Amino acid sequence: MIVLDSAQILTAVGLSLRNHVLPALEDDFARVQVMSALKALAEVSDRLENGDPAERSNAIIEGGVRELADSIRSDAPDFAAKLDAAVAAKPEGDAPRDRSRQLGEALWELCARDEGAAAARLLALLQAEALRTMGEDNAWICPEAIESLT
């Protein structure tokens, strides 16, 4: 296995589970557990190949906020400065999810405190990214696991 990269190892484990273990299982709960594990393996493989989705989301939000700040700087300089500060703030942790949490909290707070047009545009940007992220995340949901909860 040392000659394989991490994504190839995950693919091999997934194929083994799908082709050899899953067909042999008769217990429905065990089958759902294996299906969920296969989804998790695929998600980890995707992250190895494409990076942490939180990094992509952070970059999209940061870019959108910078564009928004630049576009409103002359009309709403105080709000633009708050946007600049939110993007410039350093997260407490090093992980992309630390940045995502901190940035999200700061920007949602700005939306909640201001009801102007700039805040509405910021809210639209955050909602659009949340919908994009949810759409991307749907690929990793195991419907069989959700169905098994009923």
Side-chain angles (χ1 to χ4, degrees):
M1 297 283 268
I2 208 164
V3 298
L4 302 176
D5 66 26
S6 297
Q8 291 171 320
I9 292 170
L10 291 172
T11 299
V13 170
L15 285 171
S16 178
L17 288 171
R18 185 175 314 282
N19 294 337
H20 304 290
V21 176
L22 194 57
L25 294 175
E26 294 184 17
D27 180 76
D28 287 339
F29 181 76
R31 290 181 61 75
V32 167
Q33 293 301 301
V34 171
M35 287 182 217
S36 295
L38 288 166
K39 284 283 187 169
L41 288 170
E43 183 174 5
V44 171
S45 181
D46 181 76
R47 288 182 183 201
L48 286 170
E49 292 177 23
N50 300 310
D52 189 324
E55 289 176 348
R56 291 190 298 277
S57 183
N58 291 344
I60 290 168
I61 290 172
E62 289 170 3
V65 169
R66 283 187 189 101
E67 285 179 23
L68 174 60
D70 289 344
S71 73
I72 64 166
R73 204 165 302 284
S74 61
D75 296 330
D78 291 341
F79 197 76
K82 290 175 185 175
L83 293 174
D84 292 336
V87 171
K90 299 295 179 206
E92 293 177 15
D94 293 334
R97 290 169 200 293
D98 296 327
R99 174 65 173 160
S100 181
R101 188 189 78 259
Q102 174 200 338
L103 186 59
E105 289 172 359
L107 295 173
W108 281 110
E109 187 174 322
L110 288 177
C111 289
R113 287 187 178 175
D114 191 314
E115 294 184 15
R121 288 175 57 193
L122 175 60
L123 181 59
L125 183 150
L126 295 174
Q127 288 173 331
E129 180 52 19
L131 288 172
R132 188 202 66 76
T133 302
M134 285 188 297
E136 186 177 281
D137 201 39
N138 282 340
W140 312 122
I141 293 173
C142 181
E144 296 85 359
I146 293 170
E147 186 179 325
S148 75
L149 297 174
T150 59

